[in-house]
Amino acid sequence: SQQGEEDPQALSIQEGENATMNCSYKTSINNLQWYRQNSGRGLVHLILIRSNEREKHSGRLRVTLDTSKKSSSLLITASRAADTASYFCARRDSSYKLIFGSGTRLLVRP
Amino acid sequence: GAGVSQSPSNKVTEKGKDVELRCDPISGHTALYWYRQSLGQGLEFLIYFQGNSAPDKSGLPSDRFSAERTGGSVSTLTIQRTQQEDSAVYLCASSDARRTEAFFGQGTRLTVV
């Protein structure tokens, strides 16, 4: 499959809890990105981590990258109902093509 | 325009008809991508244009699908002899020469009846 693997496929948490989503891939990357999608339409870029970086923060988001394990994780701290969406990782490969994972559907219960 | 624009937003077509989907990328963006997303699924890569290089067509599912990008700007995705399994949301994205984040349009929801 051209897609990476993401887990879990679906996650339901209570508002205020942290949400962790994982992404694995098979080939080498130039960078790895996380996107959010509401209502099955356009995606919005959240954060990018380069292959020589291990961790990156942006507001309530924390992304880690382990190139030896070919995996990344996205942590959303202190979740809010408005964080309910689908989250996708996307890897940029050596040809700069952008390949997306299968996504995690996050539900944050008020 | 300020963002990536796709048209139409929704398209209902009869099986066997041809359809054209249009994407206007952000001005100055050299990279343009097309993806397909079936209900509740991930994004399936279709085709990638980068500047004047030959496009990467490795994701096109069959020879009924084709895409072109005129003048390095507007792109059209054409699906010939549509089938019911072509029903999906078709998403277009563009990015700049630094090839960092991609900006997405709102997609075209194609329904083949």
Side-chain angles (χ1 to χ4, degrees), chain A residues 2-3 31 33 35 37 39-43 45 48 50 88 92 95-103 105, chain B residues 9-10 33 35 37 40-45 48 56 58 89 91 95 99-102 104-107 109:
Chain A
Q2 61 175 268
Q3 297 180 341
N31 63 59
Q33 305 176 28
Y35 288 78
Q37 183 181 41
S39 306
R41 287 298 189 124
L43 281 74
H45 180 264
L48 177 154
R50 292 187 165 76
F88 295 88
R92 235 185 233 293
S95 69
Y96 292 97
K97 198 161 61 183
L98 196 58
I99 301 297
F100 283 79
S102 51
R105 294 187 305 281
Chain B
S9 295
N10 292 281
Y33 313 81
Y35 297 89
Q37 186 178 32
Q41 302 298 309
L43 275 70
E44 177 188 4
F45 168 78
Y48 164 46
D56 182 334
S58 60
V89 174
L91 292 161
S95 66
R99 303 170 182 148
T100 52
E101 65 186 283
F104 278 80
Q106 288 302 299
R109 183 179 301 279

Side-chain angles (χ1 to χ4, degrees), chain B residues 14-81:
Chain B
E14 291 181 352
K15 179 181 172 181
K17 299 280 190 182
D18 297 353
V19 294
E20 285 189 350
L21 312 180
R22 177 186 168 107
C23 174
D24 266 290
I26 292 173
S27 178
H29 278 190
T30 58
L32 187 147
Y33 313 81
W34 283 99
Y35 297 89
R36 178 169 72 174
Q37 186 178 32
S38 300
L39 188 63
Q41 302 298 309
L43 275 70
E44 177 188 4
F45 168 78
L46 297 178
I47 188 168
Y48 164 46
F49 295 90
Q50 175 54 54
N52 295 322
S53 302
D56 182 334
K57 304 179 181 180
S58 60
L60 295 178
S62 77
D63 59 8
R64 295 187 296 104
F65 288 73
S66 63
E68 63 177 23
R69 188 177 184 191
T70 54
S73 182
V74 172
S75 177
T76 301
L77 177 68
T78 301
I79 309 173
Q80 296 178 310
R81 305 181 301 282

Side-chain angles (χ1 to χ4, degrees), chain A residues 3-99:
Chain A
Q3 297 180 341
E5 297 295 323
E6 290 188 56
D7 75 271
Q9 290 187 332
L11 180 61
S12 178
I13 60 174
Q14 200 71 36
E15 200 166 28
E17 294 180 337
N18 296 341
T20 300
M21 290 159 264
N22 303 295
C23 168
S24 63
Y25 54 93
K26 297 179 180 178
T27 62
S28 62
I29 61 169
N30 181 277
N31 63 59
L32 191 136
Q33 305 176 28
W34 286 87
Y35 288 78
R36 167 190 167 130
Q37 183 181 41
N38 288 86
S39 306
R41 287 298 189 124
L43 281 74
V44 175
H45 180 264
L46 295 175
I47 193 166
L48 177 154
I49 186 165
R50 292 187 165 76
S51 59
N52 61 353
E53 296 177 311
R54 292 296 167 259
E55 187 170 313
K56 203 161 184 180
H57 297 253
S58 176
R60 293 184 297 113
L61 305 180
R62 186 184 81 140
V63 170
T64 61
L65 178 65
D66 186 334
T67 53
S68 66
K69 295 181 179 177
K70 290 186 167 57
S71 68
S72 175
S73 67
L74 171 68
L75 169 68
I76 303 175
T77 60
S79 63
R80 305 165 183 169
D83 294 329
T84 294
S86 291
Y87 292 82
F88 295 88
C89 69
R91 60 177 175 81
R92 235 185 233 293
D93 65 13
S94 57
S95 69
Y96 292 97
K97 198 161 61 183
L98 196 58
I99 301 297

